[in-house]
Coordinates of all heavy atoms in Angstrom, one line a residue:
E161 N 78.5 175.1 63.1 CA 77.9 173.8 63.4 C 78.8 172.9 64.1 O 78.3 172.0 64.8 CB 77.4 173.2 62.1 CG 76.2 174.0 61.4 CD 75.8 173.3 60.1 OE1 76.4 172.3 59.7 OE2 74.9 173.9 59.4
R162 N 80.1 173.1 64.1 CA 81.0 172.1 64.6 C 81.8 172.6 65.9 O 82.1 171.8 66.7 CB 82.0 171.7 63.5 CG 81.4 170.8 62.6 CD 81.9 170.9 61.1 NE 81.2 170.0 60.2 CZ 80.1 170.3 59.7 NH1 79.6 171.6 59.8 NH2 79.4 169.5 58.9
V163 N 81.9 173.9 65.9 CA 82.7 174.4 67.1 C 81.8 175.4 67.9 O 82.2 175.8 69.1 CB 84.0 175.2 66.7 CG1 84.9 174.2 65.9 CG2 83.8 176.4 65.9
G164 N 80.6 175.8 67.4 CA 79.8 176.7 68.1 C 80.0 178.1 67.7 O 81.1 178.5 67.2
A165 N 79.0 179.0 68.0 CA 79.1 180.4 67.6 C 80.2 181.2 68.2 O 80.8 182.0 67.6 CB 77.7 181.1 67.8
E166 N 80.5 180.8 69.5 CA 81.5 181.6 70.2 C 82.9 181.4 69.6 O 83.7 182.3 69.7 CB 81.5 181.3 71.7 CG 80.2 181.8 72.4 CD 80.3 181.6 73.9 OE1 81.3 180.9 74.4 OE2 79.3 182.0 74.6
K167 N 83.1 180.1 69.1 CA 84.5 179.8 68.6 C 84.6 180.0 67.1 O 85.6 179.9 66.5 CB 84.9 178.4 68.9 CG 84.9 178.2 70.4 CD 85.3 176.7 70.8 CE 85.5 176.5 72.3 NZ 85.9 175.1 72.5
K168 N 83.5 180.3 66.5 CA 83.4 180.3 65.0 C 84.4 181.3 64.4 O 85.2 181.0 63.5 CB 82.0 180.6 64.5 CG 81.8 180.8 63.0 CD 81.7 182.4 62.8 CE 80.5 183.0 63.4 NZ 80.4 184.4 63.1
D169 N 84.4 182.6 64.9 CA 85.3 183.6 64.3 C 86.8 183.2 64.4 O 87.5 183.4 63.4 CB 85.0 184.9 64.9 CG 83.7 185.5 64.6 OD1 83.1 185.1 63.6 OD2 83.2 186.4 65.3
G170 N 87.2 182.8 65.5 CA 88.6 182.3 65.7 C 88.9 181.2 64.8 O 90.0 181.1 64.2
A171 N 88.1 180.2 64.7 CA 88.3 179.1 63.9 C 88.4 179.5 62.4 O 89.4 179.0 61.7 CB 87.1 178.1 64.0
W172 N 87.5 180.4 61.9 CA 87.6 180.8 60.5 C 88.9 181.6 60.3 O 89.6 181.4 59.3 CB 86.4 181.5 60.1 CG 86.3 182.2 58.8 CD1 85.8 183.4 58.5 CD2 86.7 181.6 57.5 NE1 85.9 183.7 57.2 CE2 86.6 182.6 56.5 CE3 87.4 180.4 57.2 CZ2 86.9 182.3 55.2 CZ3 87.7 180.2 55.9 CH2 87.4 181.2 54.9
W173 N 89.2 182.4 61.3 CA 90.5 183.3 61.1 C 91.7 182.4 60.9 O 92.6 182.7 60.1 CB 90.6 184.2 62.3 CG 91.7 185.2 62.2 CD1 91.6 186.5 61.5 CD2 93.0 185.1 62.6 NE1 92.8 187.0 61.7 CE2 93.7 186.3 62.3 CE3 93.8 184.0 63.3 CZ2 95.1 186.5 62.6 CZ3 95.1 184.2 63.6 CH2 95.7 185.5 63.3
G174 N 91.8 181.3 61.7 CA 92.9 180.4 61.5 C 92.9 179.5 60.3 O 93.9 179.4 59.6
L175 N 91.7 178.9 60.0 CA 91.6 178.0 59.0 C 91.7 178.6 57.5 O 92.1 177.9 56.6 CB 90.3 177.2 59.0 CG 90.3 176.1 60.1 CD1 88.9 175.6 60.4 CD2 91.3 175.0 59.8
R176 N 91.5 179.9 57.4 CA 91.5 180.4 56.1 C 93.0 180.4 55.6 O 93.2 180.5 54.4 CB 90.9 181.8 56.1 CG 91.7 182.9 56.7 CD 91.1 184.2 56.6 NE 89.9 184.3 57.4 CZ 88.9 185.2 57.4 NH1 89.0 186.2 56.5 NH2 87.9 185.1 58.2
S177 N 94.0 180.4 56.4 CA 95.4 180.3 56.0 C 95.9 178.9 56.2 O 96.7 178.4 55.4 CB 96.3 181.1 56.9 OG 96.0 182.6 56.7
Y178 N 95.4 178.1 57.1 CA 95.8 176.8 57.5 C 95.4 175.8 56.4 O 96.2 174.9 55.9 CB 95.3 176.4 58.8 CG 95.6 175.0 59.3 CD1 96.6 174.7 60.1 CD2 94.7 173.9 59.0 CE1 96.9 173.5 60.6 CE2 95.0 172.6 59.5 CZ 96.1 172.4 60.3 OH 96.4 171.2 60.8
A179 N 94.2 176.0 55.9 CA 93.7 175.1 54.8 C 94.0 175.6 53.4 O 93.9 176.8 53.3 CB 92.2 174.9 55.0
P180 N 94.3 174.7 52.5 CA 94.5 175.1 51.2 C 93.3 175.5 50.4 O 92.7 174.7 49.8 CB 95.3 173.9 50.5 CG 94.7 172.7 51.3 CD 94.5 173.2 52.7
L181 N 93.0 176.8 50.4 CA 91.9 177.4 49.7 C 92.4 178.3 48.6 O 93.4 179.0 48.8 CB 90.9 178.2 50.7 CG 90.3 177.4 51.8 CD1 89.6 178.5 52.8 CD2 89.3 176.4 51.3
V182 N 91.7 178.3 47.5 CA 92.0 179.3 46.5 C 90.8 180.2 46.2 O 89.6 179.8 46.5 CB 92.5 178.8 45.1 CG1 93.8 177.9 45.4 CG2 91.5 177.8 44.5
H183 N 91.0 181.4 45.8 CA 89.8 182.4 45.5 C 89.2 182.0 44.1 O 89.9 181.7 43.2 CB 90.3 183.8 45.6 CG 90.6 184.2 47.0 ND1 90.1 185.4 47.5 CD2 91.3 183.7 48.0 CE1 90.5 185.6 48.7 NE2 91.3 184.5 49.0
V184 N 88.0 182.2 44.1 CA 87.1 182.0 42.9 C 86.7 183.4 42.3 O 86.3 184.3 43.1 CB 85.9 181.2 43.1 CG1 85.1 181.0 41.8 CG2 86.3 179.8 43.7
P185 N 87.0 183.7 41.1 CA 86.5 185.0 40.5 C 85.0 185.4 40.9 O 84.1 184.4 40.7 CB 86.7 184.9 39.1 CG 87.8 183.9 38.9 CD 87.6 182.9 39.9
T186 N 84.8 186.5 41.3 CA 83.5 187.0 41.7 C 82.9 188.1 40.8 O 81.8 188.6 41.2 CB 83.5 187.4 43.2 OG1 84.5 188.3 43.3 CG2 83.7 186.2 44.1
G187 N 83.6 188.5 39.8 CA 83.1 189.6 39.0 C 83.9 190.9 39.3 O 84.9 190.9 39.9
G188 N 83.2 192.0 38.9 CA 83.9 193.3 39.1 C 84.9 193.6 38.0 O 85.2 192.8 37.2
P189 N 85.4 194.8 38.0 CA 86.4 195.2 37.0 C 87.7 194.4 37.0 O 88.3 194.4 35.9 CB 86.6 196.6 37.2 CG 86.4 196.9 38.7 CD 85.2 195.9 39.0
W190 N 88.0 193.7 38.1 CA 89.3 193.1 38.1 C 89.2 191.6 38.6 O 90.0 191.1 39.3 CB 90.2 193.8 39.1 CG 90.3 195.3 38.9 CD1 89.8 196.3 39.7 CD2 91.0 196.0 37.8 NE1 90.0 197.6 39.1 CE2 90.8 197.4 38.0 CE3 91.7 195.5 36.7 CZ2 91.3 198.3 37.1 CZ3 92.2 196.5 35.8 CH2 92.0 197.9 36.1
S191 N 88.1 191.0 38.2 CA 87.9 189.5 38.4 C 87.5 189.2 39.9 O 86.7 188.4 40.1 CB 89.1 188.6 38.1 OG 89.2 188.6 36.7
F192 N 88.0 189.9 40.8 CA 87.7 189.6 42.2 C 87.2 190.9 42.9 O 87.7 192.0 42.7 CB 89.0 189.2 43.0 CG 89.6 187.9 42.4 CD1 90.6 188.0 41.4 CD2 89.1 186.7 42.8 CE1 91.1 186.8 40.9 CE2 89.6 185.5 42.2 CZ 90.6 185.6 41.3
E193 N 86.2 190.7 43.7 CA 85.7 191.8 44.5 C 86.2 191.6 46.0 O 86.9 190.7 46.3 CB 84.2 191.9 44.4 CG 83.7 192.2 43.0 CD 82.2 192.2 42.9 OE1 81.6 191.2 43.3 OE2 81.6 193.2 42.4
Y194 N 85.8 192.5 46.8 CA 86.3 192.6 48.2 C 85.7 191.5 49.0 O 86.2 191.1 50.1 CB 86.2 193.9 48.9 CG 87.3 194.9 48.3 CD1 87.0 195.8 47.3 CD2 88.6 194.8 48.7 CE1 87.9 196.6 46.8 CE2 89.6 195.7 48.1 CZ 89.2 196.6 47.2 OH 90.1 197.4 46.7
A195 N 84.5 191.0 48.7 CA 83.9 189.8 49.3 C 84.3 188.6 48.7 O 83.8 188.3 47.6 CB 82.3 190.0 49.4
P196 N 85.2 187.8 49.2 CA 85.8 186.7 48.5 C 84.9 185.5 48.4 O 83.9 185.3 49.3 CB 87.0 186.4 49.3 CG 86.8 186.8 50.7 CD 85.8 188.0 50.5
S197 N 85.2 184.7 47.5 CA 84.6 183.3 47.4 C 85.7 182.3 47.2 O 86.7 182.6 46.5 CB 83.6 183.2 46.1 OG 83.1 182.0 46.0
Y198 N 85.6 181.1 47.9 CA 86.7 180.2 47.9 C 86.3 178.8 47.5 O 85.1 178.5 47.5 CB 87.1 180.0 49.4 CG 87.4 181.3 50.2 CD1 86.5 181.9 50.9 CD2 88.7 181.7 50.3 CE1 86.7 183.1 51.6 CE2 89.0 182.8 51.0 CZ 88.1 183.5 51.7 OH 88.3 184.6 52.4
I199 N 87.3 178.1 47.0 CA 87.1 176.7 46.7 C 88.4 175.9 47.1 O 89.4 176.5 47.2 CB 86.8 176.4 45.2 CG1 86.2 175.1 45.0 CG2 88.1 176.7 44.4 CD1 85.5 174.9 43.7

């Protein structure tokens, strides 16, 4: 919604490390599955 569909993947690839996000448990045998959830 802010950078457009063409720039979205690059923006998310960078911001997932740049911004302070932590993972939220999603279930499965080891608390986290391969599809992450963030806060």
Side-chain angles (χ1 to χ4, degrees):
E161 293 178 1
R162 284 147 185 87
V163 301
E166 291 185 358
K167 296 182 178 181
K168 170 260 299 180
D169 289 341
W172 174 222
W173 188 86
L175 283 170
R176 74 181 67 195
S177 297
Y178 180 92
L181 299 173
V182 299
H183 287 229
V184 177
T186 52
W190 310 109
S191 286
F192 300 95
E193 297 177 305
Y194 287 99
S197 180
Y198 307 87
I199 197 163

